[in-house]
Amino acid sequence: MPSFLNSLSQRLHLSSKPETKSDFKPSSTTTAQQSITLSTKTSKMSEPIALILGSGPRVGAAVAQAFAASGYKVAMAARKGTDSKTAEGYLSIKADFAQPESIPGIFDTVKKQLGSAPSIIVYNAASLTPPPENALLSIPPARVTNDLNVNVVSPFVAAEQAIKGWETLSGGNKLFIYTGNAQNDMVLPVPMMLNLGVGKAASASWIGQADGAYAAKGYRFIYADERQADGKMKGMALDGPAHGDFYVQLAKSTSGIPWQATFVKSKGYVSFK
């Protein structure tokens, strides 16, 4: 019999005896404290936290809605963040992903405002700088650095912060999802996508390595890439709700899902290897 049930049984048995000075009577303060402790534990277990880094009106918004509908507390960080609660009840945090050193502060805010570290982290921010016409490698170095910070360095720092937070959590799935595209698999002859492709390919590399390195701890790192049904790149036709559905599916279970998770709307994971 669990200890708390045994204790309860003993107290009920004692209450049936004539009262004596040696009978134990829990004070109202003790009972209230136990009730508060149980309530707090139950709340934390039933409300995991999802942190979405980069919350645009399409994918970011749909992912937030999907996690909220699945019982998660949701925090969203973006350049247009308000450092307050949204109408939907999400925690909105102002963030600049071109400044990797600011990332730890986002995690600190989530823990302070929502009570614990996030178990699910979605990195959805992205940046690109089109090169001058007919001058592919003439993008100003400052812009190359900016885009690399957003596409590679900031998610790298976020992954480090995710691990630190996961080490404070017990139970539940721990998952880092990077919203990718097919540019880690293919070189597109589209000049405006140059910096974005460099960033996606670089992040795919460290995500794949991280997924293997932390597998023993049960931590998963996923490079999520929505494709068309024939495996072609989705491009600007990305489907927000499809991302939300797949990401929530991953949060429930990543069994059988590799780090490079290509998916198709309404089908989930589909391998195109």
Side-chain angles (χ1 to χ4, degrees), residues 117-121 159 161-170 173-176 219-221:
S119 57
I120 308 297
I121 294 88
Q161 293 299 309
I163 291 170
K164 290 180 178 179
W166 292 339
E167 291 172 348
T168 70
L169 302 176
S170 60
N173 293 329
K174 283 84 174 179
L175 174 65
F176 185 99
Y219 303 163
R220 291 301 313 270
F221 293 83

Side-chain angles (χ1 to χ4, degrees), residues 62-73:
V63 170
Q65 185 176 18
F67 274 104
S70 297
Y72 283 77
K73 292 181 181 178

Side-chain angles (χ1 to χ4, degrees), residues 22 27 33 40 42 74 85 123 125 127 133 149 172 225 228 231 239 256:
S22 62
S27 69
Q33 288 175 339
T40 301
T42 302
V74 174
K85 286 290 184 73
Y123 193 88
S127 180
E133 188 174 359
N149 280 343
D225 170 14
Q228 297 182 36
D239 188 289

Side-chain angles (χ1 to χ4, degrees), residues 18-78:
E19 184 177 339
T20 66
K21 291 183 178 179
S22 62
D23 284 343
F24 173 75
K25 290 185 178 180
S27 69
S28 59
T29 301
T30 301
T31 304
Q33 288 175 339
Q34 291 173 338
S35 176
I36 291 172
T37 300
L38 180 60
S39 174
T40 301
K41 289 181 178 179
T42 302
S43 175
K44 287 184 178 180
M45 290 174 62
S46 63
E47 293 183 302
I49 297 169
L51 170 59
I52 302 164
L53 300 167
S55 53
R58 184 168 45 173
V59 173
V63 170
Q65 185 176 18
F67 274 104
S70 297
Y72 283 77
K73 292 181 181 178
V74 174
M76 304 177 72

Side-chain angles (χ1 to χ4, degrees), residues 51 53 93 102-113 116-118 121 154 157-163 165 176:
L51 170 59
L53 300 167
I93 304 170
S102 70
I103 301 300
I106 297 173
F107 283 79
D108 290 342
T109 298
V110 171
K111 188 171 183 179
K112 181 179 179 181
Q113 295 295 325
S116 68
I121 294 88
S154 283
V157 175
E160 177 191 32
Q161 293 299 309
I163 291 170
F176 185 99

